[in-house]
C-alpha cells in the first residue's frame, strides 16, 4: 500500500505536494499545503454558504462529508474535492442523499476555487 494512503487510513492527513495536480499551483501559487480530511468532516466554506442561504434558521448545519481534499492557504481551508463512501450495493435512498450532498458540495468547491483564482484572498472571502 502507498505510504500516503496508509497515512490517510490512519487519520493522518498530509500528502506530499509533488503528487498534487498542477492546477493547484495555478490557483494558489506557492505557499499552500494539500491535505485529506476523512471521517465526516465539514467544510468551513460550505458551512458559511449554508448559513447565508438560511438566514432565518438558527441551526443551519453544513453537510458532513466522508472524505475531502483541501488546500490550506493563508490560514484558510479551501476544498478541492469531496466524496462520500458506502458499503457495496447501497439502497436508493443513500444514493440519492449522497448525490444531492455531493452536487451541493461540488458547487461550493467550484465557488471557492473561482474566488481564489479571481484574486479574492482568504481574508476577504465573502463567506468567511
Amino acid at each position: 500500500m502507498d505510504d500516503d494512503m496508509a497515512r490517510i487510513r490512519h487519520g493522518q492527513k498530509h500528502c506530499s505536494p509533488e503528487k498534487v495536480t498542477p492546477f493547484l499551483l495555478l490557483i494558489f501559487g506557492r505557499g499552500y499545503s494539500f491535505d485529506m480530511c476523512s471521517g465526516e468532516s465539514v467544510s468551513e466554506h460550505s458551512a458559511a454558504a449554508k448559513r447565508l442561504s438560511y438566514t432565518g434558521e438558527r441551526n443551519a448545519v453544513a453537510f458532513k462529508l466522508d472524505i475531502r481534499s483541501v488546500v490550506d492557504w493563508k490560514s484558510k481551508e479551501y476544498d478541492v474535492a469531496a466524496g462520500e463512501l458506502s458499503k457495496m450495493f447501497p439502497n436508493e435512498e443513500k444514493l440519492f442523499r449522497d448525490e444531492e450532498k455531493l452536487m451541493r458540495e461540488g458547487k461550493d468547491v467550484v465557488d471557492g476555487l473561482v474566488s481564489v483564482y479571481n484574486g479574492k484572498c482568504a481574508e476577504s472571502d465573502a463567506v468567511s
Side-chain angles (χ1 to χ4, degrees):
M1 178 174 9
D2 181 91
D3 286 342
D4 288 335
M5 281 307 297
R7 282 195 292 271
I8 290 168
R9 283 181 176 228
H10 289 66
Q12 298 172 358
K13 59 181 198 169
H14 294 286
C15 295
S16 58
E18 312 84 60
K19 294 186 178 184
V20 179
T21 54
F23 89 94
L24 293 179
L25 277 175
L26 173 69
I27 295 172
F28 295 100
R30 303 257 180 232
Y32 72 87
S33 65
F34 179 77
D35 297 327
M36 297 292 288
C37 300
S38 61
E40 292 201 341
S41 61
V42 176
S43 164
E44 295 172 24
H45 188 87
S46 291
K50 194 155 190 177
R51 283 192 300 274
L52 286 174
S53 296
Y54 297 96
T55 53
E57 287 290 322
R58 295 176 54 191
N59 297 323
V61 179
F63 293 120
K64 293 179 183 177
L65 297 168
D66 292 336
I67 190 163
R68 295 170 35 235
S69 299
V70 298
V71 168
D72 292 317
W73 183 63
K74 294 187 178 183
S75 301
K76 288 280 189 188
E77 205 173 70
Y78 291 91
D79 286 40
V80 293
E84 282 292 302
L85 306 172
S86 74
K87 296 178 183 175
M88 292 281 280
F89 310 113
N91 63 35
E92 283 190 24
E93 180 184 343
K94 166 92 173 127
L95 288 174
F96 288 125
R97 190 174 55 240
D98 286 355
E99 181 179 14
E100 174 189 77
K101 192 186 297 188
L102 292 174
M103 285 182 358
R104 174 62 195 192
E105 289 303 314
K107 179 192 180 308
D108 288 340
V109 166
V110 171
D111 287 350
L113 294 176
V114 167
S115 293
V116 172
Y117 185 75
N118 285 332
K120 286 188 179 180
C121 65
E123 292 79 27
S124 66
D125 191 345
V127 294
S128 297

